[in-house]
Amino acid sequence: MEHKAVSIALFALMLGACSSLKVTSDYDPEADFSAWQTYTWAQRTPQGDDDPRVYNDITAARVKAAANKALQAKGYQEMVAGQPDFLVAWHAAIDGKISVQTVHSYYGYGWGYWGPGYGGSQTYVNQWNEGTLAIDIIDARQNKLVWRGMAQDAIENRSSPEAAQRYLEDVLAKLMASFPTRPDASQ
């Protein structure tokens, strides 16, 4: 029984290692993050071409909850009133992707009755949706973008709203990993 549990754990680890999640970040090297303590969410102005699969109340609440959790783990506090040190904004998109691969299965050599060897080829077409999530950190005093993190991954349907929230929390933790942690934050 112990052998079976170890096999299942190794299989789960291999699946996690094969994730297509790509995370990148960039920042302004002139920005001084060291004195920051508080943030608030930037007001988003709806655009006429907003994708309703992305920009809706449910997704906004999930993104904000996951980002709040990641920022608060780094020692920052969300403000509801007053002048924060920085603003947080999010942007997202869903893009259709396609890959085409042709596999040739010829074998043999030389010319024979049927031509050069035997076999054929098969073309495989794979289509999927890829989601991109960007988190922007804006210096509130200068109204200037100073940090951006981006995550891209193939979109999969989650089994429940709770599973979707856990996945988003994992993505935001990885996305925010390179954002500076407050020096006095207890981890």
Side-chain angles (χ1 to χ4, degrees):
M1 188 62 155
E2 184 178 317
H3 177 68
K4 185 176 180 181
V6 170
S7 297
I8 291 171
L10 286 175
F11 181 70
L13 184 62
M14 287 181 355
L15 283 178
C18 295
S19 172
S20 62
L21 178 65
K22 294 173 264 180
V23 176
T24 59
S25 65
D26 196 7
Y27 67 97
D28 178 353
E30 302 293 318
D32 180 14
F33 301 96
S34 64
W36 287 2
Q37 297 178 22
T38 59
Y39 70 93
T40 194
W41 285 89
Q43 291 296 319
R44 184 178 181 286
T45 304
Q47 305 297 312
D49 60 349
D50 282 350
D51 186 340
R53 298 174 298 172
V54 174
Y55 293 104
N56 59 67
D57 293 342
I58 295 171
T59 302
R62 284 187 182 145
V63 169
K64 287 180 178 181
N68 284 339
K69 186 174 182 177
L71 285 166
Q72 290 165 10
K74 290 184 163 286
Y76 299 101
Q77 297 299 315
E78 182 179 17
M79 288 184 70
V80 291
Q83 178 67 32
D85 297 313
F86 64 96
L87 304 173
V88 182
W90 70 278
H91 317 278
I94 298 175
D95 296 311
K97 298 290 185 175
I98 188 168
S99 70
V100 179
Q101 181 180 17
T102 300
V103 178
H104 301 284
S105 59
Y106 292 106
Y107 57 92
Y109 57 92
W111 283 87
Y113 179 77
W114 299 101
Y118 298 96
S121 60
Q122 179 70 41
T123 300
Y124 299 94
V125 178
N126 187 22
Q127 295 179 331
W128 71 98
N129 284 325
E130 181 176 81
T132 302
L133 174 64
I135 298 291
D136 287 344
I137 303 295
I138 302 146
D139 184 317
R141 286 169 182 67
Q142 298 179 28
N143 197 29
K144 177 181 168 187
L145 178 67
V146 293
W147 187 91
R148 173 174 277 177
M150 294 186 64
Q152 293 180 309
D153 200 359
I155 295 177
E156 299 174 15
N157 288 329
R158 303 291 174 223
S159 59
S160 67
E162 295 81 14
Q165 186 65 38
R166 283 191 305 272
Y167 173 74
L168 196 53
E169 287 173 4
D170 183 50
V171 168
L172 263 293
K174 291 174 183 172
L175 188 147
M176 299 299 296
S178 68
F179 187 70
T181 300
R182 285 199 30 83
D184 59 351
S186 60
Q187 300 234 6

